[in-house]
Amino acid sequence: EKTHIYREGVAKWVYKLRQGIKKSLILSFSVMVVTFPVMSLTFYEIAPYSLVLNLLILPFLPCLFVLGILLIVVWRWEISTIFCILTNSVLNGYTWLAQQSLRLPGSRLIVGGVHTYQVLFYLMVLGILILWGKCISRQGCWKLVFIAILSMTVRVNFRTEICFLDVGQGDGIFVQTSTGKAYMIDGGSTSEKNVGKYTLAQFLKSEGIREIEGWIITHPDEDHCNGLKEVLEAGYGGRVTEYGSGATGHRSRVTGYGGRVKRLLLPDVGG
């Protein structure tokens, strides 16, 4: 009888744990869906692992909120110092988890900037789910969510585009063919600081470019190439499959995740 009672207790605990994880996943996914347009418009990329990270973060939010209130209410520095250390520990834990997740493959998914009509369609679908979700089957709700997310991420290009980027004193040319292949020619500046991080990489992400077919550096001067390293560090260093100097070349690999540079062609400065 005691064994039976013990098994029932374990079964109830497992059931409550599963229900808690399920509710946290639903809440985490809901937060991701609602904030998706904001992330697309602001950062041009999303973090898929945030769905799992929220499972570890959300349970501690009430504790963090209480600690913050106690820091305001309690005036004695001996006690408030303890609350401050606890609050700082929780926040540092959040930061550490976020930093570790960025080292994993696929930690960044570049979605690109979105147009007004895409956001309106997305919000319309969310409105339908909120107002009439109970009248729609679960499978139908998932289909609507999938359609809404797909409408924000799919980018179709039917023409060749050439963009001369404003990099100050330097060069930066972006070319995209009608088949969707993207190329960069040079990318540097002597008048703008962090041109790769704040200009080149942001432009590529806003265009939804996940893969650069080829990056051509025509000249070794800074105003032609000093932004390349920053672009790789900003998320386009996932893989360099071909590295060349003049007619010769060798294979190399750059750590990082997000976008991808397939071919990097450098000028031959040896002769």
Side-chain angles (χ1 to χ4, degrees):
E1 184 178 352
K2 290 183 178 180
T3 304
H4 180 69
I5 294 174
Y6 173 77
R7 288 179 178 176
E8 283 188 350
V10 172
K12 289 181 179 179
W13 182 83
V14 171
Y15 175 77
K16 290 181 179 179
L17 179 63
R18 290 176 60 185
Q19 290 298 110
I21 293 175
K22 182 179 178 181
K23 290 180 180 178
S24 297
L25 275 174
I26 293 174
L27 178 60
S28 178
F29 184 75
S30 300
V31 171
M32 180 181 289
V33 169
V34 172
T35 59
F36 185 74
V38 179
M39 299 297 291
S40 299
L41 288 168
T42 308
F43 302 104
Y44 313 122
E45 60 184 359
I46 60 173
Y49 293 132
S50 62
L51 185 64
V52 179
L53 285 177
N54 286 337
L55 292 178
L56 304 174
I57 293 175
L58 290 176
F60 292 97
L61 285 181
C63 299
L64 192 63
F65 180 76
V66 171
L67 288 172
I69 295 296
L70 292 175
L71 278 173
I72 298 174
V73 174
V74 178
W75 290 95
R76 295 192 59 179
W77 69 270
E78 299 92 345
I79 301 176
S80 62
T81 300
I82 297 175
F83 294 147
C84 185
I85 293 174
L86 291 174
T87 304
N88 189 57
S89 299
V90 174
L91 293 175
N92 285 337
Y94 289 171
T95 303
W96 183 83
L97 286 173
Q99 290 174 344
Q100 295 305 309
S101 69
L102 290 177
R103 297 183 178 182
L104 300 174
S107 60
R108 298 172 181 174
L109 178 60
I110 298 172
V111 295
V114 293
H115 298 284
T116 304
Y117 68 86
Q118 290 176 291
V119 177
L120 292 176
F121 178 78
Y122 189 86
L123 295 177
M124 183 185 71
V125 174
L126 288 187
I128 292 174
L129 290 173
I130 293 172
L131 296 176
W132 297 288
K134 294 182 179 179
C135 303
I136 306 173
S137 64
R138 181 178 297 181
Q139 187 177 6
C141 290
W142 282 112
K143 286 181 179 179
L144 285 175
V145 171
F146 176 76
I147 291 172
I149 294 176
L150 192 64
S151 69
M152 295 278 284
T153 56
V154 173
R155 305 179 70 88
V156 181
N157 183 59
F158 297 106
R159 60 181 182 178
T160 299
E161 294 183 357
I162 301 177
C163 297
F164 295 85
L165 307 182
D166 184 6
V167 294
Q169 182 61 42
D171 285 314
I173 304 171
F174 171 78
V175 180
Q176 187 172 28
T177 66
S178 57
T179 58
K181 291 185 177 181
Y183 298 86
M184 280 294 301
I185 302 174
D186 291 335
S189 176
T190 53
S191 61
E192 301 290 334
K193 293 183 178 180
N194 304 117
V195 67
K197 181 178 180 180
Y198 296 116
T199 302
L200 302 179
Q202 291 303 309
F203 171 80
L204 293 171
K205 290 179 180 179
S206 68
E207 292 294 312
I209 304 300
R210 301 187 183 99
E211 183 175 88
I212 301 174
E213 190 70 21
W215 194 310
I216 304 168
I217 300 297
T218 63
H219 202 277
D221 288 351
E222 285 190 358
D223 59 348
H224 287 257
C225 64
N226 64 0
L228 174 59
K229 181 181 178 182
E230 295 175 9
V231 172
L232 296 177
E233 293 174 347
Y236 283 88
R239 203 185 322 172
V240 176
T241 57
E242 185 177 336
Y243 181 93
S245 178
T248 62
H250 62 273
R251 295 188 179 277
S252 180
R253 184 177 181 85
V254 180
T255 58
Y257 303 92
R260 177 188 178 193
V261 177
K262 290 185 66 177
R263 295 176 179 84
L264 178 59
L265 303 177
L266 303 178
D268 188 357
V269 297

